């Protein structure tokens, strides 16, 4: 089972020291000011299994951290998932994914290491630059290669910000090519379905920080451009995830669809990180 893209969606000081932009960035993407630098922990458990699938159990944890690095967002995501089948075999997959994304959406530095059963199964690292015509990826791992990005490609934090803006504006669908650095296969097409509109604040006894915030429920489908060509949406998604996104970028009530099975991710801990800027 290849969960490379699916698991990755990160010591951080050393990462920042090597990856901070050399020059000041352009104006930040509108909406960046609403994003919350934070640490979050999610408890993962099996939600459902497709017919004829051999999966019988799945559980784990996902730790996510995003730091305001002034001209950029530094993020780290660590993921551990234990998957068991009907024969009693249990496989542990871990993912450690780090990015530094310019707030103007012009560049992304990325690093991903994935392990299965204690052995490294994937390493991806490099840098991407975004231009009016698409941009370019320069990979360092798994090999020193370069690849063009399609026109309109956006980066992960920009995708979150624009998805929230679309929900706030009453849109039901947001479509864009996305590059997140989780694969050596380049960008993916994404289709985001927004259901229920822009939701008013709701009581939240577990996380009062979120109780005063509006939110939107979304389902994001990822399509492999090497299989579907351009535009996405016409073929079966490579992966789907649904969640409730709060207006500050915090996600809750995750459902991660891996094809054979679906994993539920519940927010267990949430801690804001003060900005040094």
């Amino acid at each position: 089972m290849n969960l490379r893209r699916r698991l990755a969606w990160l010591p951080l000081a050393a990462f920042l020291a090597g990856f901070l932009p050399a020059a000041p960035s352009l104006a930040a993407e509108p909406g960046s000011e609403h994003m919350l630098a934070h640490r979050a922990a999610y408890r993962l458990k099996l939600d459902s299994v497709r017919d004829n699938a051999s999966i019988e159990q799945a559980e784990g944890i996902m730790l996510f951290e995003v730091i305001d690095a002034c001209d950029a967002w530094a993020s780290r995501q660590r993921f551990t998932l234990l998957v068991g089948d009907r024969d009693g075999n249990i496989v542990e997959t871990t993912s450690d994914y780090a990015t530094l994304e310019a707030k103007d959406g012009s560049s992304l530095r990325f690093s991903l290491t994935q392990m299965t059963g204690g052995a490294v199964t994937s390493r991806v690292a490099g840098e991407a630059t975004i231009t009016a015509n698409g941009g370019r990826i320069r990979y360092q791992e798994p090999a020193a290669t370069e690849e063009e990005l399609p026109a309109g490609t956006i980066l992960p934090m920009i995708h979150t910000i624009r998805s929230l803006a679309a929900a706030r504006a009453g849109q039901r669908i947001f479509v864009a090519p996305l590059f997140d650095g989780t694969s050596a296969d380049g960008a993916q097409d994404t289709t985001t379905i927004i259901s229920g509109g822009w939701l008013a604040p709701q009581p939240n006894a577990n996380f009062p920080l979120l109780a005063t915030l509006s939110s939107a429920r979304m389902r994001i489908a990822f399509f492999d451009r090497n299989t579907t060509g351009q535009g996405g949406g016409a073929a079966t998604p490579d992966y789907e995830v649904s969640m409730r996104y709060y207006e500050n970028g915090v996600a809750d009530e995750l459902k991660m669809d891996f094809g054979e099975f679906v994993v539920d991710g519940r927010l267990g801990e949430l801690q804001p990180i003060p900005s040094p800027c």
Side-chain angles (χ1 to χ4, degrees), residues 5-270:
R5 273 195 184 273
R6 302 171 179 183
L7 296 185
W9 234 84
L10 326 113
L12 194 56
F15 185 79
L16 284 174
F19 277 2
L20 281 174
S25 67
L26 301 175
E29 174 80 8
S32 296
E33 68 277 10
H34 300 306
M35 297 296 99
L36 179 71
H38 67 280
R39 295 184 183 93
Y42 300 85
R43 178 64 62 182
L44 310 177
K45 65 178 182 178
L46 185 65
D47 180 76
S48 60
V49 178
R50 297 286 194 275
D51 292 342
N52 302 318
S54 61
I55 303 301
E56 196 166 71
Q57 67 181 76
E59 61 179 2
I61 190 169
M62 182 171 70
L63 305 175
F64 177 75
E65 180 177 78
V66 59
I67 293 175
D68 186 348
C70 301
D71 285 337
W73 294 106
S75 69
R76 185 181 185 185
Q77 179 178 296
R78 289 168 287 176
F79 190 110
T80 298
L81 187 66
L82 297 171
V83 178
D85 62 20
R86 295 172 183 170
D87 297 325
N89 301 309
I90 297 179
V91 176
E92 179 184 64
T93 299
T94 64
S95 174
D96 194 350
Y97 168 56
T99 64
L100 187 71
E101 179 179 338
K103 286 187 178 179
D104 64 358
S106 63
S107 66
L108 179 76
R109 299 194 180 189
F110 55 90
S111 174
L112 168 70
T113 299
Q114 184 171 306
M115 301 178 69
T116 301
V120 174
T121 54
S122 177
R123 290 191 193 276
V124 182
E127 180 175 9
T129 55
I130 304 298
T131 67
N133 296 323
R136 176 177 290 271
I137 313 164
R138 294 177 176 84
Y139 289 104
Q140 298 167 352
E141 294 187 82
T145 59
E146 296 190 13
E147 182 171 335
E148 297 291 333
L149 286 167
T153 296
I154 59 176
L155 302 175
M157 282 294 289
I158 301 297
H159 187 275
T160 297
I161 292 168
R162 292 187 185 177
S163 295
L164 286 167
R168 190 181 287 108
Q171 295 178 222
R172 296 184 61 186
I173 298 177
F174 173 62
V175 178
L178 170 68
F179 179 72
D180 58 12
T182 61
S183 169
D185 296 331
Q188 284 187 299
D189 287 314
T190 65
T191 298
T192 301
I193 306 298
I194 303 164
S195 59
W198 192 238
L199 306 174
Q202 301 174 7
N204 194 323
N206 293 328
F207 303 104
L209 173 66
L210 304 176
T212 61
L213 301 179
S214 298
S215 61
R217 297 186 183 277
M218 306 181 188
R219 185 173 183 87
I220 307 172
F222 298 80
F223 301 87
D224 187 346
R225 292 180 63 88
N226 294 329
T227 301
T228 63
Q230 299 181 5
T236 301
D238 184 53
Y239 168 59
E240 291 184 272
V241 60
S242 61
M243 78 286 283
R244 177 172 58 184
Y245 256 138
Y246 288 90
E247 62 182 277
N248 63 354
V250 174
D252 192 11
E253 300 182 9
L254 280 69
K255 298 284 186 184
M256 294 175 280
D257 189 339
F258 295 114
E260 290 187 339
F261 62 100
V262 178
V263 169
D264 176 87
R266 293 286 166 168
L267 184 63
E269 298 179 16
L270 177 63

